[in-house]
Amino acid sequence: MTSIFAVTDNDEILALQPRLTAEDAGVRRIALIELADLEEPDGLLWLVDRLRQDPAEEVRAEAARLLEAWEDEPVVQALCEALTDPSPAVQAAAAQSLSLLKSAAAGRVILPWTGHADVSVRIAAFRALRELRFADAATAAITALNDADAHVRREAVGVLGWLKQLDALPALARLASADPDTEVRRAATGALGLASGTEVLPALRQALQDSAWQVREEAATTLGKVGHRDAGPALVEALSDDYWQVRLRATRSLGRLRFAPALDALVDTLGHRISNLRKEAALALGELNDRGAVAALQAAQDDGDPEVRKAVRIALSQLQ
């Protein structure tokens, strides 16, 4: 262990040697924190060594956490290897540190781990690559859309969404419509928002009929982002959804689309018992730019919720 200290002449690091090599794991862990606080490159050798070899999982986990600020290739490689550590605490700390990296060089080290046999390693690798927005990860992410594990598929969807991979739209549409996992369908539905054409509308309309309200909510939001008036009728129908959360997103999207045929349905929504929905209805009516909404908005000026009243005033000012 002490041979590592032969490569440095840094007095502050050498002064920590007795505690860094102490028998007590708690002492070693605190000493590691002090070593990291020095922010000296020489200290990396010891942090990486302890991540790989310390017999105490609490020390290995601390080393993984402390290495989050370093993007040197040996450090990233050590963090990737720590994803296979027998301790869940070490695995979690390594995954968290990897997710905070920002360089393309780190992405090149992480990418091969997306094909690891261990599901948790694949999940952590894709999560880190999503944050990096590493373009070379697209091919691996598209392949992982067929992974047997739903968590891996969901992380792969996230990577493709951040990378705005238009080539992946057909595969994402398939997941949005047919994946057996609710969270995967929801994530894929949201990722379809990177499209600018009508090709995703059939999948989004189908998602708006999904059995899970979370998927329907995401579909209502994404239809507004895609921005095609052809989505209007489906969104008007969604104003009758059993869940107010879906209605709220549909209301917002109808305003975003300025879908004039939604006027009557939005006026009805302006009387809903949930104030958040009334507020969104008022804002959407203002976006329609149709003076047919003025009477209903004027009647709502004395709404009991101040946020609704504010939204009504905004809408009326738009229609003047």
Side-chain angles (χ1 to χ4, degrees), residues 21-74:
T21 58
E23 291 188 7
D24 187 282
V27 172
R28 296 199 305 276
R29 187 181 70 82
I30 298 301
L32 273 187
I33 295 173
E34 294 183 29
L35 177 65
D37 285 343
L38 297 177
E39 297 185 351
E40 291 288 345
D42 285 352
L44 280 180
L45 277 172
W46 190 253
L47 287 168
V48 169
D49 182 84
R50 290 303 84 201
L51 174 59
R52 284 176 167 153
Q53 299 190 52
D54 200 280
E57 68 175 73
E58 65 184 274
V59 178
R60 299 197 304 277
E62 192 65 59
R65 284 188 288 269
L66 293 170
L67 287 169
E68 69 179 23
W70 300 92
E71 298 196 338
D72 305 59
E73 183 173 329

Coordinates of all heavy atoms in Angstrom, one line a residue, residues 21-74:
T21 N -3.5 4.8 5.6 CA -3.2 3.4 5.7 C -3.5 2.8 7.1 O -3.1 1.7 7.4 CB -1.7 3.2 5.5 OG1 -0.9 4.0 6.4 CG2 -1.3 3.6 4.1
A22 N -4.4 3.5 7.9 CA -4.7 3.0 9.2 C -5.6 1.7 9.1 O -6.2 1.5 8.1 CB -5.5 4.1 10.0
E23 N -5.6 1.0 10.2 CA -6.4 -0.3 10.2 C -7.9 0.1 10.3 O -8.7 -0.7 9.8 CB -6.0 -1.2 11.4 CG -4.6 -1.8 11.2 CD -4.3 -2.8 12.3 OE1 -5.2 -3.1 13.1 OE2 -3.1 -3.3 12.3
D24 N -8.2 1.1 11.0 CA -9.6 1.5 11.2 C -10.2 2.1 9.9 O -9.7 3.1 9.3 CB -9.7 2.5 12.3 CG -11.2 2.8 12.7 OD1 -11.8 3.6 11.9 OD2 -11.6 2.3 13.7
A25 N -11.3 1.5 9.4 CA -11.9 1.9 8.1 C -12.4 3.4 8.2 O -12.4 4.1 7.3 CB -13.0 1.0 7.7
G26 N -13.0 3.7 9.4 CA -13.5 5.1 9.6 C -12.4 6.1 9.5 O -12.6 7.2 8.9
V27 N -11.3 5.8 10.0 CA -10.1 6.7 9.9 C -9.7 6.9 8.5 O -9.4 8.0 8.0 CB -9.0 6.2 10.8 CG1 -7.7 7.1 10.6 CG2 -9.4 6.3 12.3
R28 N -9.6 5.8 7.7 CA -9.2 5.8 6.3 C -10.2 6.6 5.5 O -9.8 7.4 4.6 CB -9.1 4.4 5.8 CG -8.0 3.5 6.4 CD -7.6 2.4 5.5 NE -8.7 1.5 5.1 CZ -9.2 0.5 5.8 NH1 -8.8 0.3 7.1 NH2 -10.2 -0.2 5.4
R29 N -11.5 6.5 5.8 CA -12.5 7.2 5.0 C -12.4 8.7 5.2 O -12.4 9.5 4.2 CB -13.9 6.7 5.4 CG -15.0 7.3 4.6 CD -16.4 6.8 5.0 NE -16.8 7.4 6.3 CZ -17.3 8.7 6.4 NH1 -17.5 9.4 5.3 NH2 -17.6 9.2 7.6
I30 N -12.2 9.2 6.4 CA -12.1 10.6 6.7 C -10.8 11.1 6.1 O -10.8 12.2 5.5 CB -12.1 10.9 8.2 CG1 -13.4 10.4 8.8 CG2 -11.8 12.4 8.5 CD1 -14.6 11.1 8.2
A31 N -9.8 10.3 6.1 CA -8.5 10.7 5.5 C -8.6 10.9 4.0 O -8.0 11.8 3.4 CB -7.4 9.8 5.8
L32 N -9.4 10.0 3.4 CA -9.7 10.1 1.9 C -10.4 11.4 1.6 O -10.1 12.1 0.6 CB -10.6 9.0 1.5 CG -9.9 7.6 1.1 CD1 -11.0 6.7 0.5 CD2 -8.8 7.8 0.1
I33 N -11.3 11.8 2.4 CA -12.0 13.1 2.2 C -11.0 14.3 2.2 O -11.1 15.2 1.4 CB -13.1 13.3 3.2 CG1 -14.2 12.2 3.1 CG2 -13.7 14.7 3.1 CD1 -15.3 12.2 4.2
E34 N -10.1 14.2 3.2 CA -9.1 15.3 3.3 C -8.2 15.3 2.1 O -7.7 16.3 1.6 CB -8.3 15.1 4.6 CG -9.2 15.4 5.9 CD -8.4 15.3 7.2 OE1 -7.2 15.6 7.1 OE2 -9.0 14.9 8.2
L35 N -7.8 14.1 1.7 CA -7.0 13.9 0.5 C -7.7 14.5 -0.7 O -7.0 15.3 -1.5 CB -6.7 12.5 0.2 CG -5.8 12.1 -1.0 CD1 -4.4 12.7 -0.9 CD2 -5.8 10.6 -1.2
A36 N -8.9 14.3 -0.9 CA -9.7 14.8 -2.0 C -9.8 16.3 -2.0 O -9.7 17.0 -3.0 CB -11.0 14.2 -2.1
D37 N -9.9 16.8 -0.7 CA -10.0 18.3 -0.6 C -8.7 19.0 -1.0 O -8.8 20.2 -1.4 CB -10.3 18.6 0.9 CG -11.7 18.3 1.3 OD1 -12.5 18.2 0.4 OD2 -12.0 18.3 2.5
L38 N -7.6 18.3 -1.1 CA -6.4 18.9 -1.5 C -6.4 19.2 -3.0 O -5.7 20.1 -3.5 CB -5.2 18.0 -1.2 CG -4.9 17.8 0.3 CD1 -3.7 16.8 0.4 CD2 -4.6 19.1 1.0
E39 N -7.3 18.4 -3.8 CA -7.4 18.6 -5.2 C -6.1 18.5 -5.9 O -5.8 19.3 -6.9 CB -8.1 19.9 -5.6 CG -9.5 19.9 -5.0 CD -10.3 21.2 -5.5 OE1 -9.7 22.1 -6.1 OE2 -11.5 21.2 -5.2
E40 N -5.3 17.6 -5.5 CA -3.9 17.4 -6.1 C -4.0 16.1 -7.0 O -4.5 15.1 -6.6 CB -2.9 17.2 -5.0 CG -2.6 18.4 -4.2 CD -1.8 19.4 -5.0 OE1 -1.3 19.1 -6.1 OE2 -1.7 20.6 -4.6
P41 N -3.5 16.2 -8.2 CA -3.5 15.1 -9.1 C -2.8 13.9 -8.5 O -3.2 12.7 -8.8 CB -2.8 15.6 -10.4 CG -3.0 17.0 -10.4 CD -3.0 17.4 -8.9
D42 N -1.8 14.1 -7.7 CA -1.1 12.9 -7.1 C -2.0 12.1 -6.2 O -1.8 10.9 -6.0 CB 0.1 13.4 -6.3 CG 1.3 13.9 -7.2 OD1 1.2 13.6 -8.4 OD2 2.3 14.4 -6.6
G43 N -3.0 12.8 -5.6 CA -3.9 12.1 -4.8 C -4.8 11.1 -5.5 O -5.4 10.2 -4.9
L44 N -5.0 11.3 -6.8 CA -5.8 10.4 -7.6 C -5.4 9.0 -7.5 O -6.2 8.1 -7.5 CB -5.9 10.9 -9.1 CG -6.8 12.0 -9.4 CD1 -6.7 12.3 -10.9 CD2 -8.2 11.7 -9.1
L45 N -4.1 8.8 -7.5 CA -3.6 7.4 -7.5 C -4.1 6.7 -6.3 O -4.6 5.5 -6.4 CB -2.1 7.4 -7.4 CG -1.3 7.6 -8.7 CD1 0.2 7.8 -8.4 CD2 -1.5 6.4 -9.6
W46 N -4.2 7.3 -5.1 CA -4.6 6.7 -3.9 C -6.1 6.5 -3.9 O -6.7 5.5 -3.5 CB -4.2 7.5 -2.7 CG -4.4 6.7 -1.4 CD1 -5.4 7.0 -0.5 CD2 -3.7 5.6 -1.0 NE1 -5.3 6.1 0.5 CE2 -4.3 5.2 0.3 CE3 -2.7 4.8 -1.5 CZ2 -3.9 4.1 1.0 CZ3 -2.2 3.7 -0.7 CH2 -2.8 3.4 0.5
L47 N -6.9 7.5 -4.4 CA -8.3 7.4 -4.5 C -8.7 6.2 -5.4 O -9.6 5.4 -5.0 CB -8.9 8.7 -5.0 CG -8.9 9.9 -4.0 CD1 -9.2 11.2 -4.7 CD2 -9.9 9.6 -2.9
V48 N -8.1 6.1 -6.5 CA -8.4 5.0 -7.5 C -8.1 3.7 -6.9 O -8.8 2.7 -7.0 CB -7.7 5.2 -8.8 CG1 -7.8 4.0 -9.7 CG2 -8.3 6.5 -9.5
D49 N -6.9 3.6 -6.2 CA -6.5 2.4 -5.6 C -7.4 2.0 -4.5 O -7.8 0.8 -4.4 CB -5.1 2.6 -5.0 CG -4.5 1.3 -4.3 OD1 -4.0 0.5 -5.1 OD2 -4.7 1.2 -3.1
R50 N -7.9 2.9 -3.7 CA -8.8 2.6 -2.6 C -10.2 2.1 -3.2 O -10.9 1.3 -2.6 CB -9.0 3.7 -1.6 CG -7.8 4.0 -0.8 CD -7.3 2.8 0.0 NE -6.4 1.9 -0.8 CZ -6.2 0.6 -0.5 NH1 -6.8 0.1 0.5 NH2 -5.4 -0.1 -1.3
L51 N -10.6 2.7 -4.3 CA -11.9 2.3 -4.9 C -11.8 0.9 -5.3 O -12.7 0.1 -5.2 CB -12.2 3.3 -6.1 CG -13.4 2.9 -7.0 CD1 -14.6 2.8 -6.1 CD2 -13.5 3.8 -8.1
R52 N -10.6 0.5 -5.8 CA -10.5 -0.9 -6.4 C -10.1 -1.9 -5.3 O -10.5 -3.0 -5.4 CB -9.3 -0.8 -7.4 CG -9.8 -0.2 -8.7 CD -8.6 -0.2 -9.7 NE -9.0 0.1 -11.1 CZ -8.3 0.7 -12.0 NH1 -7.1 1.1 -11.7 NH2 -8.8 0.9 -13.2
Q53 N -9.4 -1.5 -4.2 CA -8.8 -2.5 -3.4 C -9.1 -2.4 -1.9 O -8.8 -3.4 -1.2 CB -7.3 -2.5 -3.5 CG -6.8 -2.8 -4.9 CD -5.3 -3.0 -5.0 OE1 -4.8 -3.8 -4.2 NE2 -4.6 -2.3 -5.9
D54 N -9.7 -1.3 -1.4 CA -9.9 -1.2 0.0 C -10.9 -2.3 0.5 O -11.9 -2.6 -0.2 CB -10.5 0.1 0.4 CG -10.2 0.4 1.9 OD1 -11.0 -0.1 2.7 OD2 -9.2 1.1 2.2
P55 N -10.5 -3.0 1.6 CA -11.4 -4.1 2.1 C -12.7 -3.6 2.6 O -13.7 -4.4 2.8 CB -10.6 -4.8 3.1 CG -9.6 -3.7 3.6 CD -9.3 -2.9 2.4
A56 N -12.9 -2.3 3.0 CA -14.1 -1.8 3.6 C -15.0 -1.2 2.5 O -14.6 -0.3 1.8 CB -13.8 -0.8 4.7
E57 N -16.2 -1.6 2.4 CA -17.1 -1.1 1.4 C -17.4 0.4 1.7 O -17.6 1.2 0.7 CB -18.4 -1.8 1.3 CG -19.3 -1.7 2.5 CD -20.7 -2.4 2.3 OE1 -20.7 -3.6 2.3 OE2 -21.7 -1.7 2.1
E58 N -17.4 0.9 2.9 CA -17.6 2.3 3.2 C -16.5 3.1 2.6 O -16.7 4.3 2.2 CB -17.8 2.5 4.7 CG -16.6 2.2 5.5 CD -16.8 2.4 7.0 OE1 -16.7 3.5 7.5 OE2 -17.1 1.4 7.6
V59 N -15.3 2.6 2.6 CA -14.1 3.4 2.1 C -14.2 3.4 0.6 O -14.0 4.4 -0.1 CB -12.8 2.8 2.6 CG1 -11.6 3.5 2.0 CG2 -12.7 2.8 4.1
R60 N -14.5 2.2 0.0 CA -14.7 2.2 -1.5 C -15.8 3.1 -2.0 O -15.6 3.8 -3.0 CB -14.9 0.7 -2.0 CG -13.8 -0.3 -1.6 CD -13.9 -1.5 -2.4 NE -15.2 -2.2 -2.3 CZ -15.6 -3.1 -1.3 NH1 -14.7 -3.3 -0.3 NH2 -16.7 -3.7 -1.3
A61 N -16.9 3.1 -1.3 CA -18.0 4.0 -1.6 C -17.6 5.4 -1.5 O -17.9 6.3 -2.4 CB -19.2 3.7 -0.8
E62 N -16.9 5.8 -0.5 CA -16.4 7.2 -0.3 C -15.5 7.6 -1.5 O -15.5 8.7 -2.0 CB -15.7 7.3 1.0 CG -15.5 8.8 1.4 CD -16.8 9.6 1.6 OE1 -17.6 9.2 2.5 OE2 -17.0 10.6 0.8
A63 N -14.6 6.7 -1.8 CA -13.7 6.9 -2.9 C -14.4 7.2 -4.2 O -14.1 8.1 -5.0 CB -12.7 5.8 -3.1
A64 N -15.5 6.4 -4.5 CA -16.3 6.6 -5.7 C -17.0 7.9 -5.7 O -17.0 8.6 -6.7 CB -17.3 5.4 -5.7
R65 N -17.5 8.3 -4.5 CA -18.1 9.7 -4.4 C -17.1 10.8 -4.7 O -17.3 11.8 -5.4 CB -18.8 9.8 -3.1 CG -20.1 9.1 -2.9 CD -20.8 9.5 -1.6 NE -20.1 8.9 -0.5 CZ -20.4 7.7 0.0 NH1 -21.4 7.0 -0.5 NH2 -19.8 7.3 1.1
L66 N -15.9 10.6 -4.1 CA -14.9 11.7 -4.2 C -14.3 11.8 -5.6 O -13.8 12.9 -5.9 CB -13.8 11.4 -3.2 CG -14.2 11.5 -1.7 CD1 -13.1 10.9 -0.8 CD2 -14.5 12.9 -1.3
L67 N -14.4 10.8 -6.4 CA -13.8 10.8 -7.7 C -14.8 11.5 -8.8 O -14.4 11.6 -9.9 CB -13.5 9.4 -8.2 CG -12.3 8.8 -7.5 CD1 -12.1 7.3 -7.9 CD2 -11.0 9.5 -8.0
E68 N -15.9 12.0 -8.3 CA -16.9 12.6 -9.2 C -16.4 13.8 -10.0 O -16.8 14.1 -11.1 CB -18.2 13.0 -8.5 CG -18.0 14.1 -7.6 CD -19.3 14.5 -6.9 OE1 -20.2 13.7 -6.8 OE2 -19.4 15.7 -6.4
A69 N -15.4 14.5 -9.4 CA -14.9 15.7 -10.1 C -13.8 15.5 -11.1 O -13.4 16.4 -11.7 CB -14.4 16.7 -9.0
W70 N -13.4 14.2 -11.2 CA -12.2 14.0 -12.1 C -12.7 13.2 -13.3 O -13.4 12.2 -13.2 CB -11.2 13.1 -11.3 CG -10.7 13.8 -10.1 CD1 -11.2 13.7 -8.8 CD2 -9.6 14.7 -10.0 NE1 -10.4 14.5 -8.0 CE2 -9.4 15.2 -8.7 CE3 -8.7 15.2 -11.0 CZ2 -8.5 16.0 -8.3 CZ3 -7.7 16.1 -10.6 CH2 -7.6 16.5 -9.3
E71 N -12.2 13.6 -14.5 CA -12.6 13.0 -15.8 C -11.4 12.3 -16.5 O -11.5 12.0 -17.6 CB -13.3 14.0 -16.7 CG -14.5 14.6 -16.0 CD -15.4 15.3 -17.0 OE1 -14.9 15.7 -18.1 OE2 -16.6 15.4 -16.7
D72 N -10.3 12.1 -15.8 CA -9.2 11.4 -16.4 C -9.6 10.0 -16.7 O -10.4 9.4 -16.0 CB -8.0 11.3 -15.4 CG -7.6 12.7 -14.9 OD1 -8.5 13.4 -14.3 OD2 -6.4 13.1 -15.1
E73 N -9.1 9.5 -17.8 CA -9.5 8.2 -18.3 C -9.4 7.1 -17.3 O -10.3 6.2 -17.1 CB -8.8 7.8 -19.6 CG -9.2 6.5 -20.2 CD -8.6 6.3 -21.6 OE1 -8.3 7.2 -22.3 OE2 -8.4 5.1 -21.9
P74 N -8.2 7.0 -16.6 CA -8.1 5.9 -15.5 C -9.1 6.0 -14.4 O -9.6 5.0 -13.9 CB -6.7 6.2 -15.0 CG -6.0 6.9 -16.0 CD -7.0 7.8 -16.7

